[in-house]
Amino acid sequence: MKKGSSCENMLLERMKTSGVSYDVLDEAVYTGQVAGVRFDGNFPEAKMFQTKIREAAQQGANFAGHYTVATWGCGSGCQRHAVVDAQSGDVISFGITTEMGLKYYPNSRILITNPAETPAFFDARAFNVPIEDAPNA
């Protein structure tokens, strides 16, 4: 069995069979002026977390070329996330909830929730990690 989550393995198989690359972008990562966050679009509830979202957005693009992922805690072992377009300021996704964070890159379109290799106090066997690869197995 391959190391990693079942979602990662399925995505890799899909890329092999379709010839489409979801992971590496053809264009450069946006480094221009960052737009102010707009909370008047599809996710008005994001305004309740405007401080965290604005702080993250000011750092510039960190995902998929021109997007910024914002993260904040929502309790023990809980994180919430939003994705903001660094060029337009639009909140394009809101309410992504994880227990073990996210894995993403500035030059990749892949956003993995609860990545298998995230060190945590959870038992790795509950997260599709082969037992021989689990810490302290």
Side-chain angles (χ1 to χ4, degrees):
M1 183 174 196
K2 297 176 189 173
K3 186 175 181 176
S5 74
S6 58
C7 290
E8 288 173 289
N9 292 331
M10 289 184 340
L11 186 58
L12 289 172
E13 287 301 314
R14 171 84 173 132
M15 288 189 315
K16 285 181 201 172
T17 59
S18 70
V20 175
S21 177
Y22 295 96
D23 57 347
V24 180
L25 297 173
D26 294 331
E27 65 270 5
V29 174
Y30 180 71
T31 58
Q33 183 173 349
V34 176
V37 180
R38 298 178 51 211
F39 294 99
D40 59 351
N42 293 329
F43 302 99
E45 65 274 23
K47 193 167 186 172
M48 293 187 325
F49 303 95
Q50 63 183 306
T51 301
K52 289 294 185 183
I53 294 171
R54 281 190 175 126
E55 286 173 356
Q58 289 170 353
Q59 302 302 310
N62 62 9
F63 168 62
H66 62 96
Y67 298 102
T68 302
V69 176
T71 300
W72 60 94
C74 54
S76 180
C78 175
Q79 305 88 43
R80 302 258 339 247
H81 313 274
V83 180
V84 178
D85 187 320
Q87 294 172 313
S88 70
D90 293 333
V91 177
I92 64 148
S93 183
F94 174 78
I96 303 166
T97 304
T98 62
E99 294 175 340
M100 297 174 67
L102 298 172
K103 180 179 177 182
Y104 56 91
Y105 298 96
N107 63 340
S108 171
R109 293 180 184 98
I110 298 174
L111 181 82
I112 300 171
T113 60
N114 300 313
E117 71 275 4
T118 302
F121 57 88
F122 296 102
D123 185 342
R125 289 172 281 198
F127 295 97
N128 300 321
V129 177
I131 192 67
E132 61 273 8
D133 295 328
N136 302 320

